[in-house]
Amino acid sequence: MERTPEIFEKIEGYLTNTLPKEELIAFEKALATNQELQEEVEKHRMMHNVLGDQDTLDFKEKLARIGTTIKEEEEKIVTTSSFSLYWKVAASIVIVFGAGTLYWYISKSQNKTQNLYGSYYQAFPAEDNTRGNTTNEIQKVIKQYTNGVYDSVVIALENYPNLETQKRLQLYLGNSYLNLGQEKKAINQFTAISETDRYYEIGQWYLSLSYLKLNKRKKTISILEEIIAYNGVYKTKAMKLLKELRK
């Protein structure tokens, strides 16, 4: 795939939900069949996650301050060419070291969050599809969900009438999105579960894992703290994950 400014603009529009409806439909169709485009989108998504992480931003700011200081010192030293050369070399070393260190820092941060996500994520369990109060259509969806056929679950539930009134189905859909790498759509499902609903705490737990998968450490911690304060069945898990994140 040729990397052009037009492609990059479309990817950014897709990730920021700013593409016009017709362009979005066309882009999603291309995305479904074009592996190179999928890989490019993941690269852009990764950079969005990294650049949005506060710890990374703080680290980059420190590197920028170091670089500025060295540049100022280089401009001050004009007495001899040898001194000027010395600071140019020093500046180059810091730039190389900074880039390498930043790359290491980003990789380490992402590896940690992805490892934690892998350790703590388990798909929300499906109910027994033999229960008498479920339609044949829902029984089929539950079977697909149990078997990990998440794309079929998404197709069925995205068009399901009055989905917002059936929170358990929203949890199935949110988990399906997570397993398909569509974290932002998953977040929309989990945040739609209100605090007065009996599935609220479960939704919050999966919401925290969605942000964890996106490497949004600060947001993850905030939600985990709310789960702990809620003092429900997920409190212990939330406390353990929070402790891991703060190491």
Side-chain angles (χ1 to χ4, degrees), residues 121 124 141 145 150-160 163 166-180 182 185-190:
Y121 177 77
F124 179 64
V141 170
Y145 177 78
Y150 298 115
D151 52 347
S152 296
V153 175
V154 166
I155 292 171
L157 293 184
E158 280 186 337
N159 300 307
Y160 192 77
L163 178 67
Q166 301 192 49
K167 302 307 179 184
R168 194 174 186 94
L169 294 184
Q170 282 190 283
L171 289 170
Y172 295 159
L173 180 56
N175 274 263
S176 296
Y177 282 138
L178 269 182
N179 282 281
L180 293 172
Q182 300 179 45
K185 289 184 177 181
I187 288 170
N188 289 337
Q189 294 302 316
F190 300 137

Side-chain angles (χ1 to χ4, degrees), residues 1-246:
M1 182 189 72
E2 184 181 358
R3 293 176 173 83
T4 64
E6 181 182 3
I7 291 293
F8 281 14
E9 287 178 8
K10 286 187 181 296
I11 291 174
E12 289 301 310
Y14 172 72
L15 293 175
T16 55
N17 297 317
T18 57
L19 279 181
K21 186 175 180 180
E22 291 184 359
E23 290 186 25
L24 176 61
I25 293 172
F27 186 86
E28 287 182 334
K29 285 183 179 179
L31 188 62
T33 57
N34 190 325
Q35 186 174 352
E36 288 185 349
L37 181 58
Q38 293 170 11
E39 292 173 355
E40 199 64 43
V41 169
E42 285 305 311
K43 289 177 184 176
H44 280 247
R45 181 179 284 118
M46 182 182 72
M47 290 308 301
H48 274 242
N49 296 340
V50 168
L51 293 175
D53 181 78
Q54 189 59 48
D55 292 341
T56 303
L57 291 173
D58 292 343
F59 185 76
K60 288 190 292 184
E61 185 179 348
K62 289 178 183 178
L63 288 178
R65 286 201 300 266
I66 292 172
T68 301
T69 300
I70 288 178
K71 184 178 180 181
E72 290 173 352
E73 291 297 330
E74 182 188 17
E75 291 172 351
K76 289 178 184 178
I77 300 174
V78 294
T79 53
T80 66
S81 59
S82 60
F83 274 110
S84 180
L85 177 60
Y86 169 82
W87 282 106
K88 286 179 181 178
V89 171
S92 300
I93 291 172
V94 169
I95 291 170
V96 172
F97 175 75
T101 303
L102 180 59
Y103 177 80
W104 171 85
Y105 182 86
I106 291 170
S107 299
K108 183 180 179 181
S109 174
Q110 289 180 328
N111 288 339
K112 179 179 179 180
T113 54
Q114 293 310 305
N115 288 339
L116 286 174
Y117 176 81
S119 298
Y120 280 86
Y121 177 77
Q122 288 184 331
F124 179 64
E127 65 184 2
D128 183 359
N129 62 5
T130 62
R131 286 173 56 179
N133 61 348
T134 56
T135 65
N136 290 335
E137 181 184 1
I138 293 303
Q139 287 182 14
K140 181 180 178 181
V141 170
I142 292 172
K143 184 176 181 180
Q144 291 169 334
Y145 177 78
T146 303
N147 292 333
V149 189
Y150 298 115
D151 52 347
S152 296
V153 175
V154 166
I155 292 171
L157 293 184
E158 280 186 337
N159 300 307
Y160 192 77
N162 302 317
L163 178 67
E164 65 277 3
T165 65
Q166 301 192 49
K167 302 307 179 184
R168 194 174 186 94
L169 294 184
Q170 282 190 283
L171 289 170
Y172 295 159
L173 180 56
N175 274 263
S176 296
Y177 282 138
L178 269 182
N179 282 281
L180 293 172
Q182 300 179 45
E183 292 82 11
K184 290 184 179 180
K185 289 184 177 181
I187 288 170
N188 289 337
Q189 294 302 316
F190 300 137
T191 54
I193 303 175
S194 69
E195 193 170 352
T196 58
D197 194 279
R198 67 190 182 101
Y199 290 112
Y200 172 72
E201 187 190 11
I202 300 172
Q204 289 296 292
W205 172 248
Y206 285 104
L207 182 62
S208 71
L209 293 179
S210 300
Y211 281 113
L212 180 67
K213 191 177 181 184
L214 287 172
N215 200 35
K216 301 287 187 180
R217 183 175 175 274
K218 190 174 181 180
K219 186 67 175 178
T220 304
I221 289 174
S222 175
I223 298 170
L224 290 174
E225 289 174 340
E226 291 180 13
I227 293 172
I228 293 168
Y230 189 82
N231 197 28
V233 296
Y234 281 89
K235 178 178 180 178
T236 301
K237 282 186 177 181
M239 290 176 66
K240 288 181 179 178
L241 178 53
L242 183 60
K243 184 178 179 180
E244 292 285 348
L245 278 171
R246 285 177 167 168

